[in-house]
Amino acid sequence: MKKLLFTTLLLGFPLIAGPNDSVFGVTLVANKSGQNVSVPMQIVLLLTLLTLLPAIVMSVTPFLRVVVVLHFLRQALGTQTTPSNQVLVGLALFLALLIVQPVTDQVYQRSWQPLESGQITAGEAWDRAAEPIREFLLKFAREKDIRLFMEISHAPAPANPASVPLSALVPAYVLSELKTAFQIGAVLFLPFLIIDLVVASVTLSVGMVQLPPVMVSAPFKILLFVLVDGWNLVVGSLVRSFH
């Protein structure tokens, strides 16, 4: 979590720190312009960054795909609010931290540690931090989505994947993750939908009109999910989908 917070702060560091300043114990190297940002302004900008941290974690990490798939799974099981939203969000958060840990380690070692020791400037720290983040996002962002946001931003076509700006790469990643999550959710729905159809056909054929088929099929779906060790299969498949 500490390294994830450092990664988020580094994304906004060029905007919040001036030369020869110390922010969270980090001494920055003076630049040629000699411009400086007041300490109150640094505090305001840092607090603003911290408020954006939840949005960054939810959108630019595997959390997005995991939490959407888990919600699809709960709807397919027909258990309404079990597991609760807090449990699903907590599980998705820890899985996202586990998956993104190699990226945060690279950012911390390449960018934050040299910046903390005063070996590089904030601009160089940003460039070093952006490389592993861009590599991770490029693995899962579809070319079609990247092209869409490049056209929307009227930016010139990048010469290679490494030159794709983060301003277009981040929303492309979010869009790609949503599509992937919906595809996985649709596949998860199919076996439970078959159980619902079979139970509904049987109840209607025997004249059990007053009893909702969902109430009858729910125990069978839960039993099937437990027998195949569904949580292990779903979570394992989700984690492996990022590797």
Side-chain angles (χ1 to χ4, degrees), residues 19-149:
N20 298 325
D21 286 335
S22 179
V23 183
F24 288 158
V26 178
T27 302
L28 302 181
V29 179
N31 56 23
K32 297 180 181 180
S33 63
Q35 297 177 350
N36 198 354
V37 180
S38 64
V39 174
M41 181 58 67
Q42 289 185 14
I43 295 175
V44 170
L45 293 175
L46 281 171
L47 291 176
T48 303
L49 261 182
L50 291 177
T51 59
L52 295 176
L53 179 61
I56 295 174
V57 171
M58 288 187 294
S59 301
V60 198
T61 66
F63 178 89
L64 176 62
R65 181 190 302 186
V66 175
V67 76
V68 172
V69 170
L70 292 179
H71 276 82
F72 268 111
L73 176 62
R74 186 176 66 180
Q75 293 294 326
L77 285 171
T79 54
Q80 302 301 323
T81 58
T82 304
S84 64
N85 290 333
Q86 291 84 351
V87 173
L88 294 185
V89 170
L91 177 60
L93 178 60
F94 283 110
L95 290 177
L97 294 178
L98 176 65
I99 297 169
V100 84
Q101 182 179 357
V103 180
T104 57
D105 288 341
Q106 292 180 21
V107 173
Y108 184 79
Q109 294 172 3
R110 295 183 187 179
S111 180
W112 184 269
Q113 287 183 340
L115 181 66
E116 189 176 14
S117 59
Q119 299 176 4
I120 59 176
T121 63
E124 292 173 339
W126 160 256
D127 293 335
R128 294 189 181 187
E131 291 177 3
I133 295 174
R134 181 179 286 106
E135 291 176 2
F136 175 79
L137 298 180
L138 282 171
K139 288 181 181 179
F140 307 104
R142 298 185 306 160
E143 182 180 351
K144 181 179 180 180
D145 295 327
I146 296 176
R147 188 183 304 113
L148 170 65
F149 288 102

